Amino acid sequence: MALTIDKKAILPANTQPLALRSYNLLQDYLAISKFKVVAMLVLTAWVGLALAPDVGRGIAVQFISLLGIGLLSAAAAVINHVVDSEIDSKMARTRHRPVAKGRLSKMHALSFAAVIGVAGFIMLMIWANTLTAVLTLFALVGYAFVYTSFLKRATPQNIVIGGLAGAMPPLLGWVSETNQMAAAPWLLVMIIFTWTPPHFWALAIARKSDYERARIPMLPVTHGIDFCKTCVVAYSVLLAVVCVLPYLIGMSGLIYLIGACVLNAVFIYKAVKLKIAGNDEIAMDLFRFSIVHLMVLFVVLFIDKWLPL
């Protein structure tokens, strides 16, 4: 049998067709920007904006505000890729990331982060307000530097403490609309803040050997998988309680309450299942469901705003 070789597959990057190089570069940019994660953050910011009092801002201005929040969030993600590149190269889940693999240099990635970060900040200054721009910048610093550079490597409570930065988008969306702080959006921040530990700990349980190899003190590495499973159950119960608070203060109605109760019942069921007979597959099932949980929860919260019962 004759052996056929795809010449395009072995061509150096600089000899590939321009269209292919451009496509590959775009894919790498999306990867280091954590596009799917940022899209989720922007969704929660949009719900925060939608729940804020109507001050007569146009849809175009609101869209640009959300884009600014998204660009600064993406810049934080890029910095995370650069700072964690050595760790990423040691973990099976992350070793193919563009910076860890060497497809993008650290300087290239940081330049990209600077461009989109400055663009996002300017958008917020012009089309939102100074308070939103400053708070979003603080969230970037909290995630990209305080969490990634210090907390992640220093304590098994890294994701608990550092989770606040990633929980800020609903507040940012609200503030972009009103230019002032309020108690209501902090409840949405609390939901994401409480959701973050069981979400990441489920992944850490399934990828414990990766974190051990990279010497990252995630909870299952430092305290054992069984203790971590107990914490996942405890946080899933706490999450269910926190998710009821928007209904209790009159921020949402029955549609949200029903949706939140169903979603959290499934979350607790999967957490208990992980505790009793958990393996890596069950841990990943909980991890994947937690993403659906947060997305659907905020969509239901938005629907409840326009179809109150």
Side-chain angles (χ1 to χ4, degrees):
M1 180 184 294
L3 177 64
T4 59
I5 300 176
D6 183 356
K7 294 182 179 180
K8 290 184 179 180
I10 61 175
L11 287 176
N14 59 359
T15 64
Q16 293 175 350
L18 178 60
L20 179 59
R21 278 186 287 157
S22 299
Y23 174 78
N24 289 336
L25 185 61
L26 175 61
Q27 292 296 106
D28 285 341
Y29 280 151
L30 291 176
I32 64 175
S33 302
K34 299 186 178 180
F35 177 77
K36 293 180 181 179
V37 174
V38 170
M40 178 75 75
L41 296 178
V42 172
L43 170 66
T44 63
W46 174 52
V47 174
L49 184 154
L51 294 178
D54 185 5
V55 295
R57 295 173 79 230
I59 294 177
V61 175
Q62 292 175 334
F63 175 80
I64 295 174
S65 298
L66 293 174
L67 180 59
I69 293 171
L71 287 174
L72 276 165
S73 300
V78 175
I79 296 171
N80 171 267
H81 271 255
V82 172
V83 174
D84 276 355
S85 59
E86 184 177 348
I87 292 173
D88 287 345
S89 65
K90 299 176 182 178
M91 301 175 65
R93 184 176 65 90
T94 58
R95 64 189 177 193
H96 295 296
R97 285 176 172 177
V99 179
K101 199 68 175 176
R103 294 197 305 274
L104 292 179
S105 70
K106 292 183 178 180
M107 185 58 65
H108 188 158
L110 288 175
S111 299
F112 177 59
V115 170
I116 62 176
V118 170
F121 188 81
I122 292 173
M123 287 178 182
L124 293 176
M125 287 290 294
I126 296 175
W127 284 283
N129 50 68
T130 302
L131 180 58
T132 305
V134 171
L135 286 175
T136 309
L137 183 61
F138 281 165
L140 180 153
V141 171
Y143 175 75
F145 297 102
V146 177
Y147 166 70
T148 302
S149 299
F150 175 66
L151 289 174
K152 187 173 183 178
R153 295 159 170 79
T155 170
Q157 293 299 312
N158 45 25
I159 203 63
V160 177
I161 305 170
L164 181 60
M168 292 294 285
L171 177 66
L172 301 176
W174 180 291
V175 173
S176 73
E177 190 74 358
T178 64
N179 195 24
Q180 61 185 7
M181 306 285 270
W186 279 106
L187 288 183
L188 306 183
V189 171
M190 286 178 60
I191 289 173
I192 303 177
F193 180 73
T194 310
W195 168 90
T196 301
H199 165 72
F200 275 103
W201 284 337
L203 176 64
I205 289 171
R207 298 291 185 263
K208 179 175 178 284
S209 59
D210 267 356
Y211 286 108
E212 285 178 327
R213 187 162 49 250
R215 297 184 179 179
I216 299 299
M218 293 299 287
L219 194 62
V221 175
T222 60
H223 290 69
I225 288 179
D226 191 62
F227 178 79
C228 186
K229 289 177 180 178
T230 301
C231 291
V232 169
V233 173
Y235 266 89
S236 66
V237 173
L238 179 61
L239 176 62
V241 174
V242 172
C243 284
V244 175
L245 294 180
Y247 173 78
L248 294 180
I249 69 165
M251 185 180 178
S252 62
L254 281 175
I255 291 179
Y256 169 76
L257 179 64
I258 294 170
C261 287
V262 171
L263 287 168
N264 284 295
V266 177
F267 201 114
I268 292 173
Y269 165 75
K270 289 182 178 291
V272 172
K273 183 179 179 181
L274 176 62
K275 171 64 178 176
I276 295 174
N279 52 34
D280 290 353
E281 183 179 345
I282 295 175
M284 286 305 297
D285 178 57
L286 174 58
F287 171 75
R288 286 187 288 266
F289 173 76
S290 66
I291 299 172
V292 175
H293 170 280
L294 189 65
M295 180 181 68
V296 175
L297 184 75
F298 273 80
V299 169
V300 171
L301 189 58
F302 176 78
I303 293 173
D304 184 89
K305 166 77 173 180
W306 301 107
L307 296 173
L309 290 180

